[in-house]
C-alpha cells in the first residue's frame, strides 16, 4: 500500500481558473490536486477514499485576511491560543487565514510572532495560519474605530525591527499620513510585508502618494477612512478611481451600506476585492460580552459587535454569509464572487499554490452542498470539517 493517502471527489462542480468544470472528478494525493477530469465518465478503479457529491460546488479553499478571533478567544488578548482556534476555523469554510491583531501593547505582537513561529502542536490539523496581520498600532487617532487609543503609536522603524516574514508578519495596516509612516512602511516592504492602508485620515493627495510608496491594499474600504465627498474625494475617492488597488470589504450589511458595496464591486474587478469578515472573538458564540485586543470589552447581539459607546468593534460575520450578501447586493454570480474569498486573497499574499483549483495546487477546498450551504472543508487533502 502506498502511504500517500488518496481522496477522490466525484460528480462535483469545480470552479477552476478556466471556469466551471461541471460534474468533475477531482483526485487528491500528497496534499495536492492530482487530477481534475470533467465530466467524470468511465472511471478507472479508484484507490483510497471516494466521496460522491452530485450537485455540490467545489471552491478553492477560502482564505481570510482579517479575523481577530473566534469561539470566545481574541488573538491579541490570548495569542497562545492561536493554534487551538485555527483548528476550529474550518467550521466556517476557512482553509487558511491571517490571525489579526488589533492595536495592543507591542508585547502582544511579539507573543503572537513567537506562537506562530513555534508551529502547531503534534497531530494538529485545521485552517493554516499563513502569517499574521497587524492592524495597528500605527493608526490615525482620528479614525481609530474600536482600537484602544491608549496603545496607538507614532510610526518608528525601531519599534518594528523584529517584524518580518520569518517571524510570520505578512500584512500590516497603517495610516500612511502619519509622520514617519513612509519610512516605517519602506522598512516593512523591504522585508516582504504587504502594506495596507487603514484607519487613516489621508486626503486624496496623501492617498496617491501612499500608493506610490508601495501601499497596494486597503483594509475594510469605507470603514475608518476619509469618505467620498464631491469636492474632496478623500481616501475612498483615491481608491475607487485607481486602476490597481485591491480592497477588502466587510459585507455584513452593517459596516457598509449594500449600495456602497456594489459601488466598490463595480469599480474593481473581482481580482481586486477581498471579502473579509473582520470577525471578533464572538464568532461562533451566542450574544454576550466578549474580549477585543487592547483590553477591551465588546457587547455582541445577533447582528453586530460594539463597544459600550456604540462603536462597531469587528463583526460576527461568517464567510459564507459574506459570499451570499455580496451576490445579493451586487446581483453577482457565485462564480464572480468566489475569487474574493480565494484567488484574490492568495494573490495579495503572493501565494501561487493556493486559491486555485488546478493540478499541482495545494488541495485546500471549501465545498458547498446543493442548497448552497457550507458542507465540507478540506485542508492539504484531508477532510477537516463536515457539516
Ligand atoms: Zn479595523
Amino acid at each position: 500500500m502506498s502511504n500517500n493517502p488518496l481522496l477522490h471527489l466525484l460528480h462535483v462542480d469545480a470552479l477552476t481558473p478556466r471556469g466551471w468544470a461541471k460534474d468533475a472528478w477531482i483526485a487528491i494525493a500528497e496534499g495536492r490536486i492530482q487530477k481534475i477530469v470533467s465530466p467524470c465518465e468511465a472511471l478507472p478503479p479508484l484507490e483510497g477514499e471516494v466521496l460522491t457529491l452530485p450537485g455540490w460546488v467545489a471552491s478553492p479553499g477560502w482564505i481570510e485576511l482579517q479575523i481577530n478571533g473566534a469561539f470566545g478567544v481574541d488573538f491579541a488578548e490570548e495569542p497562545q491560543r492561536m493554534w487551538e482556534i485555527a483548528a476550529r476555523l474550518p467550521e466556517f469554510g476557512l482553509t487558511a487565514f491571517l490571525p489579526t491583531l488589533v492595536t495592543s501593547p507591542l508585547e502582544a505582537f511579539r507573543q503572537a510572532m513567537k506562537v506562530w513561529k513555534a508551529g502547531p502542536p503534534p497531530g494538529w490539523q485545521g485552517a493554516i495560519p499563513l502569517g499574521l496581520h497587524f492592524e495597528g498600532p500605527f493608526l490615525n487617532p482620528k479614525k481609530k474605530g474600536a482600537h484602544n487609543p491608549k496603545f496607538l503609536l507614532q510610526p518608528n522603524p525601531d519599534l518594528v525591527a523584529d517584524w518580518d516574514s520569518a517571524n510570520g508578519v505578512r500584512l500590516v495596516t497603517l495610516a500612511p499620513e502619519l509622520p514617519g509612516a513612509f519610512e516605517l512602511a519602506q522598512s516593512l516592504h523591504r522585508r516582504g510585508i504587504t502594506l495596507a492602508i487603514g484607519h487613516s485620515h489621508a486626503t486624496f493627495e496623501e492617498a496617491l502618494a501612499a500608493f506610490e510608496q508601495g501601499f497596494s491594499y486597503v483594509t475594510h474600504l469605507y470603514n475608518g477612512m476619509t469618505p467620498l465627498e464631491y469636492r474632496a474625494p478623500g481616501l475612498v475617492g483615491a481608491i475607487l478611481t485607481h486602476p490597481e488597488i485591491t480592497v477588502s470589504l466587510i459585507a455584513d450589511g452593517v459596516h457598509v451600506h449594500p449600495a456602497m458595496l456594489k459601488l466598490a464591486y463595480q469599480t474593481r474587478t473581482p481580482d481586486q476585492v477581498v471579502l473579509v469578515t473582520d470577525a471578533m472573538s464572538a464568532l461562533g458564540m451566542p450574544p454576550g460580552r466578549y474580549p477585543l485586543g487592547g483590553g477591551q470589552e465588546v457587547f455582541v447581539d445577533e447582528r453586530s459587535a460594539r463597544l459600550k459607546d456604540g462603536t462597531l468593534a469587528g463583526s460576527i460575520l461568517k464567510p459564507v454569509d459574506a459570499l451570499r450578501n455580496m451576490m445579493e447586493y451586487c446581483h453577482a454570480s457565485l462564480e464572480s464572487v468566489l475569487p474574493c474569498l480565494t484567488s484574490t486573497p492568495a494573490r495579495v499574499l503572493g501565494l501561487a499554490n493556493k486559491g486555485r483549483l488546478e493540478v499541482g495546487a495545494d488541495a485546500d477546498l471549501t465545498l458547498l452542498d446543493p442548497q448552497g450551504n457550507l458542507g465540507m472543508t478540506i485542508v492539504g487533502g484531508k477532510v477537516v470539517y463536515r457539516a
Side-chain angles (χ1 to χ4, degrees), residues 225-251:
M225 59 185 64
T226 42
L228 182 68
E229 290 181 43
Y230 60 90
R231 287 203 183 92
L235 180 47
V236 170
I239 294 159
L240 294 183
T241 55
H242 194 281
E244 284 163 13
I245 298 299
T246 299
V247 303
S248 73
L249 293 170
I250 307 172

Side-chain angles (χ1 to χ4, degrees), residues 172-177 181-186 188-189 194-198 206-218 242 244-246:
V172 172
T173 296
L174 69 154
E177 73 281 8
F182 281 176
E183 193 191 345
L184 183 132
Q186 287 305 326
L188 297 176
H189 202 42
T194 300
L195 302 174
I197 302 181
E206 285 169 334
L208 295 185
F211 301 153
E212 292 292 313
Q213 291 287 320
F215 285 82
S216 56
Y217 181 72
V218 172
H242 194 281
E244 284 163 13
I245 298 299
T246 299

Side-chain angles (χ1 to χ4, degrees), residues 275-306:
L275 288 178
V276 294
T277 61
D278 194 14
M280 47 77 68
S281 57
L283 179 66
M285 301 293 280
R289 295 180 187 189
Y290 291 92
L292 180 71
Q296 304 187 97
E297 187 181 40
V298 177
F299 298 79
V300 177
D301 62 21
E302 303 290 347
R303 282 201 82 202
S304 65
R306 295 175 191 271

